[in-house]
Amino acid sequence: MATLSTEIVGEGTPVVALHGFGPDRRLMAGMLEPVLGELDGFRRVYLDLPGCGSSAAREIRSTADVLAAVEQTVAEAVGDEPFLLVGESYGGYLATELTRQRPDQVLGLALVCPVVVPMHAERTVPPHTVIERDETLMSSLDADELATFEPLAVVQTRETFERFCAEIGSGLATADDEALERIQSGGYALPECEALSYDRPTLILTGRQDSVVGYADQWALLERFPRATFAVLDAAGHNAQIERPDVTSVLLRDWLARCAHAAR
């Protein structure tokens, strides 16, 4: 199985970043660089998941295959070195299982709008709600832009639209849709496995208006994550990191500080 396309930024403790289903590593860089780019001592490992960005998905047919490719890439990029792990959406689903497999190696886990219940029909999610809408902006978008941005955007402003285009839409536009469909139909859910119990610093960040994965299903994780900070952000949907960027950065900095304290 081929190693996934990876971008490494900085030096120090590895921070492995896993994006969601469809975008590419630009999503994670947009979230993490405003925080980690201001700090010394962190080596960011940004992966493109199979079928996304520069990573091909020829032999990938399920989430189990995706996870195997992630494991191989992490092994080559990090080896036996302890690392921090950040996962967003589908990447959060992968990160949880990767942590279960490597609990002694993962120094801290951050989950941003993570998938907890694989099948969408079984999730507890609120209806799509718009909190802020710039009518001038929305009326200026073409049909393709509206179809990509509007259905999930809770904060529909120029700032969030521009970040969406740069960090999320850019990846969606180049994704291998045939491969993603193959993964969805061939086995989106991981095989049943032992639930993760993890007692190192954790962040679980959710959006109050997230109509994709919700926030209620993630609450159940707290029973198994005794060192978790759990946040439900108002005025935030599935792209909480671009709709509430300031508080997302504050929570990530707090998580990093807790990880550093625990490691001492």
Side-chain angles (χ1 to χ4, degrees):
M1 185 170 291
T3 302
L4 299 176
S5 178
T6 304
E7 179 183 7
I8 298 178
V9 182
E11 298 180 354
T13 301
V15 182
V16 175
L18 305 178
H19 62 77
F21 199 76
D24 60 23
R25 62 185 183 237
R26 284 172 284 189
L27 185 155
M28 300 306 292
M31 180 196 309
L32 296 177
E33 285 304 304
V35 176
L36 296 178
E38 296 180 353
L39 302 172
D40 294 327
F42 293 103
R43 183 167 87 249
R44 286 85 82 192
V45 183
Y46 295 114
L47 279 63
D48 280 340
L49 296 178
C52 303
S54 300
S55 291
R58 287 182 293 273
E59 71 276 36
I60 303 295
R61 298 190 172 278
S62 66
T63 292
D65 290 342
V66 173
L67 182 62
V70 169
E71 290 175 322
Q72 177 176 319
T73 304
V74 170
E76 294 181 8
V78 176
D80 295 330
E81 195 174 354
F83 63 93
L84 301 170
L85 184 55
V86 186
E88 184 268 347
S89 189
Y90 180 70
Y93 187 51
L94 298 171
T96 302
E97 176 59 14
L98 188 60
T99 302
R100 190 189 70 82
Q101 296 181 6
R102 299 173 177 239
D104 296 329
Q105 191 175 4
V106 177
L107 296 171
L109 176 65
L111 304 173
V112 179
C113 300
V115 170
V116 172
V117 177
M119 298 298 99
H120 192 278
E122 299 174 5
R123 298 172 186 170
T124 304
V125 299
H128 177 56
T129 303
V130 177
I131 300 297
E132 183 176 358
R133 181 180 174 93
D134 182 335
E135 293 291 353
T136 301
L137 166 71
M138 299 304 288
S139 64
S140 72
L141 303 184
D142 62 32
D144 289 341
E145 290 170 331
L146 277 173
T148 306
F149 176 65
E150 188 174 34
L152 299 183
V154 168
V155 178
Q156 299 175 353
T157 63
R158 183 163 298 280
E159 181 179 6
T160 55
F161 174 69
E162 290 176 351
R163 283 198 62 180
F164 176 88
C165 291
E167 300 170 24
I168 302 170
S170 54
L172 293 173
T174 61
D176 183 343
D177 293 333
E178 181 178 337
L180 297 180
E181 174 60 30
R182 185 170 68 241
I183 293 167
Q184 283 187 310
S185 61
Y188 183 88
L190 288 167
E192 291 296 324
C193 58
E194 181 183 351
L196 169 65
S197 293
Y198 181 71
D199 63 358
R200 289 181 172 178
T202 303
L203 170 63
I204 304 168
L205 188 157
T206 66
R208 182 66 176 83
Q209 289 81 28
D210 186 339
S211 58
V212 177
V213 302
Y215 61 90
D217 294 327
Q218 290 78 1
W219 182 255
L221 296 175
L222 283 178
E223 292 298 320
R224 296 185 276 114
F225 291 75
R227 293 292 314 279
T229 290
F230 187 97
V232 184
L233 305 186
D234 181 40
H238 194 54
N239 297 317
Q241 75 279 2
I242 66 172
E243 294 178 330
R244 298 295 306 277
D246 292 343
V247 69
T248 297
S249 292
V250 167
L251 289 167
L252 286 169
R253 289 189 181 96
D254 172 78
W255 170 68
L256 289 168
R258 291 188 290 121
C259 290
H261 184 270
R264 284 198 290 269

